[in-house]
Amino acid sequence: MRDEAALRDLLCVIAKSFFDRGMAVGTAGNISVRLDDGYLVTPTNGCLGRLEPARLSRLDADWRHVSGDKPTKELFMHRAFYETRATVEAVVHLHSTYATAVSMLPGAPALDPIPPVSPYYVMRVGHMPLVPYIRPGAEEIGHAIRAFEGRYSSVLLAHHGPVVAGKSLADAASAADELEETAKLHMLLLNQAPRSLTEAEIGDLVRTFKLDW
């Protein structure tokens, strides 16, 4: 049994942490978490730094809005992850500065625009595709995520920001943090040809921690 009251509180705490650290400015960013009979989602135009647990949008198992404030317009991206990866319990979407900056780099590769320069990036984020620009709120974002057929736990939306799914709300938040920190390292070292982990080193992590890489 998932404790809805505890998840409401935790979602608001995590959201405020992102806001306080500048990873979600203004009303940018949205978060969702699975319940036993539906989902909790941050409201549309809601500031992640000022959410109220009782006013979070509650959706039923068929994604119908049943209580709370009107849900985020980005429901399509959240739903796509839940319905293509059976283990997903939460989804975090941010407009974090460094990850978004990476998405704008000319020539950024379609897969792994942020290179695996740290073991924790491999462990918490894994392979990540870059999705070409789609207007925020467009249903096509969900279509693009579905096209990956659940192979990846995160995507980077060009000119928009990362979307990260996790096996718990805490895991999704931790992966979003790791993604942004690694993007920062990538941007700081962009013109210095930094060393990435080798295939052998990545393979050792995959075998040791049984990673979906």
Side-chain angles (χ1 to χ4, degrees):
M1 290 288 291
R2 300 174 180 91
D3 186 332
E4 180 173 339
L7 286 171
R8 284 178 179 271
D9 289 342
L10 180 60
L11 191 156
C12 292
V13 168
I14 287 173
K16 187 174 188 304
S17 174
F18 284 135
F19 181 83
D20 289 347
R21 290 178 290 137
M23 295 175 68
V25 300
T27 59
N30 36 81
I31 302 172
S32 66
V33 63
R34 189 193 297 270
L35 301 173
D36 289 334
D37 58 352
Y39 305 86
L40 290 176
V41 185
T42 53
T44 189
N45 294 320
C47 173
L48 294 193
R50 294 190 291 274
L51 296 177
E52 299 176 29
R55 295 184 61 180
L56 294 175
S57 304
R58 197 186 197 287
L59 311 178
D60 66 15
D62 294 317
W63 295 88
R64 293 184 292 252
H65 181 210
V66 294
S67 65
D69 291 347
K70 183 179 178 181
T72 173
K73 66 179 180 294
E74 304 283 20
L75 276 182
F76 301 116
M77 69 172 68
H78 292 257
R79 184 170 181 173
F81 269 112
Y82 288 107
E83 295 182 352
T84 58
R85 287 180 66 89
T87 60
V88 170
E89 292 287 321
V91 176
V92 172
H93 168 50
L94 301 172
H95 298 183
S96 49
T97 301
Y98 287 96
T100 305
V102 170
S103 81
M104 300 175 186
L105 291 175
L111 183 63
D112 297 333
I114 301 171
V117 295
S118 78
Y120 284 96
Y121 184 80
V122 173
M123 293 161 63
R124 292 177 178 161
V125 180
H127 285 305
M128 180 180 68
L130 175 63
V131 176
Y133 175 75
I134 301 171
R135 173 182 53 79
E139 190 171 356
E140 286 76 13
I141 294 178
H143 298 332
I145 293 171
R146 288 179 187 280
F148 297 123
E149 298 180 334
R151 293 193 299 275
Y152 310 110
S153 63
S154 62
V155 300
L156 182 58
L157 306 177
H159 303 271
H160 191 166
V163 191
V164 183
K167 295 179 180 179
S168 70
L169 184 51
D171 283 349
S174 179
D177 279 331
E178 192 66 37
L179 193 158
E180 177 65 3
E181 185 62 22
T182 309
K184 181 177 181 179
L185 289 172
H186 177 53
M187 294 301 290
L188 289 172
L189 298 169
L190 193 58
N191 297 315
Q192 301 182 50
R195 175 187 179 277
S196 292
L197 295 177
T198 66
E199 287 299 321
E201 291 165 339
I202 292 173
D204 176 57
L205 291 168
V206 171
R207 290 188 298 275
T208 301
F209 298 103
K210 298 177 174 59
L211 304 177
D212 181 17
W213 173 263

